[in-house]
Structures are given as C-alpha cells and as structure tokens.
Amino acid sequence: MTTAVHVQTVEGFGTVTIRPVDPDRDAPLLHAWVNEERSRFWGMTGTTVEQVREVYAHLDSLTTHHGYLVSRDDEPVALLQTYDPEADRVSECYEVLPGDIGVHFLIAPNASPEPGFTGRLVTALIAFTLKDRTRVVVEPDADNEKAVARMVRIGFELGPEVVLPEVDLPEVFLPEKRARLAFLSR
C-alpha cells in the first residue's frame, strides 16, 4: 500500500487523502478516467491500460514530475500531477520564478455531480501543492473553457495564452498545445 503524502479534512466535504500513483495497481482505474470523452483535454483518450501503466511508471521514475491519486473518504475522486516548471516545456513560455510548481488535475467521472465538489476538493489540492512552494502554475488547454473558468473561480490570475512546444522523446510524446497560463500565489 502506498503511503499518503497529504491528509486534510475539509469541513462539510470529508477527508481528502493524496498518495502517489501506484502504476500497476492504479492503471485500470486511471485508464477508465482518461478514456472518457470529458477527459479529452488530458490527451490520453484511446490509450490501453498498459499504456497508462507505462506513462505513470515513467512519471514515477522522474524526480521532477509526480502523479498522485486523490481520494475523498477513501473513494478515489481525482488524479493530480505536479511538476517542476523548470524541467517542463512550460518553462519555454513564461519566466519561471523560484517556488513555482506546475499542476494538472483531472476530476473523476461522477454519475451524481455534487455542487461545489471541485472547489472544496481544490482547497486540499492547493494546500498540498503550496506546502513547500509559493506559486502554482496551471496551463489548461486554451479551448477548455470550463477549466479556464474554474481556475478563475478558484482565484487564479489568468496569464497569457501560449503554445507549448511538442515533446518527442523515446519515453514520451506530447503534441504542441495551445494553453492558457494561470497563476495562484500563496
């Protein structure tokens, strides 16, 4: 069992637990999440369970990028990825400041959506990511209007629209991406 790296009780919401992704154990669950149409901006639709396992095994091997499974009251509800912007293609698009941390998160599908769910969950995600950092940077797809609007509601300051360059390495391929930068300082 992978040990939690953050546990926080959010009043009126429940206990949020963040633990590292276990590629072997979590790949089937994550595969189901990333292959839904609503997750198309995550960029993994059409992948197999084995490909998802390989992506998170690779992520697990890095010291600059990390994947986390987020649960509420022991029920998996989100995927969180953090990264050092200096070690990421986003560094080509803005001036990285000391204390910056990059974040991606994907909320799990839910048959019974709960008003205010994402906002309350993000309370714990931000507490975790800003624990040792001073500013969060996100770069949702510029066409993902829901994600951009969500960042504004949470309190992020919108930055410029940028084009993240393609990454084509033996371990990973990321196509060019038009993104909207947003920042949240502690």
Side-chain angles (χ1 to χ4, degrees):
M1 184 72 171
T2 309
T3 305
V5 293
H6 184 80
V7 178
Q8 180 177 342
T9 300
V10 177
E11 190 174 331
F13 184 68
T15 300
V16 176
T17 304
I18 302 173
R19 67 157 174 85
V21 166
D22 177 326
D24 293 324
R25 184 178 68 202
D26 298 331
L29 174 67
L30 299 180
H31 172 263
W33 292 358
V34 301
N35 272 281
E36 289 208 354
E37 170 57 25
R38 63 181 286 285
S39 303
R40 68 189 174 284
F41 294 113
W42 199 254
M44 293 180 70
T45 53
T47 56
T48 65
V49 172
E50 181 55 24
Q51 288 170 320
V52 171
R53 191 202 66 71
E54 288 172 3
V55 165
Y56 287 95
H58 172 69
L59 201 66
D60 194 40
S61 75
L62 302 175
T63 59
T64 56
H65 293 64
H66 306 284
Y68 300 98
L69 188 68
V70 181
S71 297
R72 174 176 76 162
D73 298 333
D74 299 321
E75 180 72 29
V77 294
L79 173 60
L80 172 70
Q81 291 177 197
T82 63
Y83 61 92
D84 178 350
E86 283 285 352
D88 193 85
R89 65 185 178 165
V90 74
S91 67
E92 297 180 34
C93 300
Y94 87 102
E95 183 181 345
V96 178
L97 299 178
D100 280 0
I101 185 168
V103 171
H104 300 283
F105 68 95
L106 175 69
I107 304 298
N110 186 339
S112 304
E114 188 179 316
F117 177 90
T118 301
R120 290 180 289 187
L121 179 65
V122 168
T123 298
L125 302 183
I126 289 172
F128 169 65
T129 56
L130 286 178
K131 184 170 44 179
D132 300 322
R133 302 296 186 115
T134 54
R135 184 170 75 158
V136 174
V137 59
V138 295
E139 26 90 3
D141 190 291
D143 291 330
N144 190 345
E145 295 172 7
K146 282 185 171 183
V148 173
R150 180 181 304 125
M151 294 303 102
V152 170
R153 281 194 311 274
I154 291 167
F156 279 76
E157 180 180 321
L158 289 180
E161 188 173 297
V162 299
V163 176
L164 301 178
E166 177 181 290
V167 174
D168 191 2
L169 302 171
E171 313 80 37
V172 65
F173 173 77
L174 297 171
E176 183 178 272
K177 172 184 166 184
R178 199 168 54 84
R180 182 67 186 257
L181 297 179
F183 304 91
L184 181 70
S185 297
R186 184 183 335 192

